Amino acid sequence: MLAEFTGLSALEELAARVKRAEFPVVDHWTDVGVWFREWATRPELRKELRAYLDQLTPQQATWVIAHSRETTTHFAWCLRDEPDEQFTFWLHEYKPLTDWRAGYADSVHNHRYHFCTTILSGAYLHERFDARLGVGGRTVVATELTNRTQCTEGTTGTLLAHEFHRIPRAAEGTMTFLVKSRAVTPWSLSYDPDTGLSHRHVPVEDRLEDLTNHL
């Protein structure tokens, strides 16, 4: 346990440790990964996160709902997003496999941000890939599987924005907690190895100027 933060709640402890960093954490995310692995061993972490949700005021619950979203494979619940902080906190609640839809989340893809994650319950199959990019890094030309791991409850991991991965299946009841950095790239990429199709993903909040120009 991070001794200097003993006595804080789980989320407060992690936030305090990352905020105390003496360097831009987005440039040293592997260090965050070390802290996160230690934090994730906190006894009864899942119980503490449940208590956090139980204690939300109606206003706080409304904020969580407004900042959360549904993906093709899971519900992404935003627990913390302060504009002056270099990180955000999330809970991912995976859907039953029968409810998964083909799309970004189960493609081979990267992210605009770095993140660390731990499995609170359940399990998933995690695959890592090497990717060959096209001119300007705007497309994926080909991918090669480099690692396939069955990850179970308590597993922690770190993924940097330039790294490609895929979760092709998850067990019933799988939930994960994540700490994400702020975006380090303007877009992410996804790739379907079966069809060879690549897509570039730009978040809608960054497209207002494009919308105006297209009108």
Side-chain angles (χ1 to χ4, degrees):
M1 183 177 293
L2 304 176
E4 63 268 44
F5 304 115
T6 300
L8 298 177
S9 71
L11 295 184
E12 289 172 338
E13 180 183 295
L14 182 60
R17 183 63 185 90
V18 181
K19 289 171 67 174
R20 188 167 163 177
E22 298 178 349
F23 46 74
V25 296
V26 73
D27 298 327
H28 300 269
W29 199 254
T30 53
D31 291 322
V32 177
V34 173
W35 308 334
F36 183 82
R37 283 194 300 274
E38 183 180 358
W39 173 85
T41 64
R42 185 183 180 102
E44 299 186 326
L45 174 59
R46 183 180 174 188
K47 182 179 179 180
E48 286 195 74
L49 294 174
R50 184 188 303 116
Y52 172 83
L53 293 176
D54 282 341
Q55 295 166 10
L56 292 176
T57 66
Q59 293 79 10
Q60 291 170 330
T62 297
W63 183 95
V64 168
I65 293 169
H67 289 77
S68 302
R69 63 179 185 271
E70 181 181 3
T71 78
T72 56
T73 61
H74 61 274
F75 299 98
W77 298 97
C78 184
L79 301 188
R80 185 185 183 107
D81 186 352
E82 299 291 340
D84 61 339
E85 294 178 344
Q86 302 179 69
F87 58 90
T88 57
F89 291 165
W90 297 78
L91 275 175
H92 284 186
E93 177 192 5
Y94 281 84
K95 302 175 182 178
L97 281 177
T98 52
D99 291 339
W100 283 28
R101 303 187 309 277
Y104 177 84
D106 64 338
S107 69
V108 177
H109 62 274
N110 68 345
H111 296 272
R112 296 182 303 118
Y113 48 81
H114 313 312
F115 71 87
C116 303
T117 186
T118 185
I119 299 180
L120 300 172
S121 63
Y124 57 60
L125 181 65
H126 187 243
E127 298 176 337
R128 288 178 177 261
F129 293 80
D130 282 339
R132 182 160 56 90
L133 304 184
V135 177
R138 300 169 72 90
T139 60
V140 178
V141 176
T143 60
E144 179 182 357
L145 178 67
T146 59
N147 182 268
R148 178 183 286 125
T149 305
Q150 181 65 29
C151 300
T152 57
E153 183 176 327
T155 300
T156 61
T158 298
L159 199 77
L160 302 180
H162 69 276
E163 297 177 315
F164 284 79
H165 77 140
R166 176 170 64 179
I167 297 176
R169 63 175 181 266
E172 188 87 12
T174 297
M175 295 188 69
T176 62
F177 175 86
L178 301 90
V179 53
K180 303 179 183 180
S181 76
R182 296 298 177 181
V184 297
T185 60
W187 62 72
S188 62
L189 300 171
S190 65
Y191 179 76
D192 184 340
D194 294 331
T195 63
L197 293 177
S198 173
H199 296 281
R200 186 168 64 97
H201 305 270
V202 180
V204 66
E205 58 267 27
D206 292 342
R207 294 186 54 84
L208 183 58
E209 183 178 352
D210 292 335
L211 172 65
T212 305
N213 291 336
H214 291 162
L215 280 174

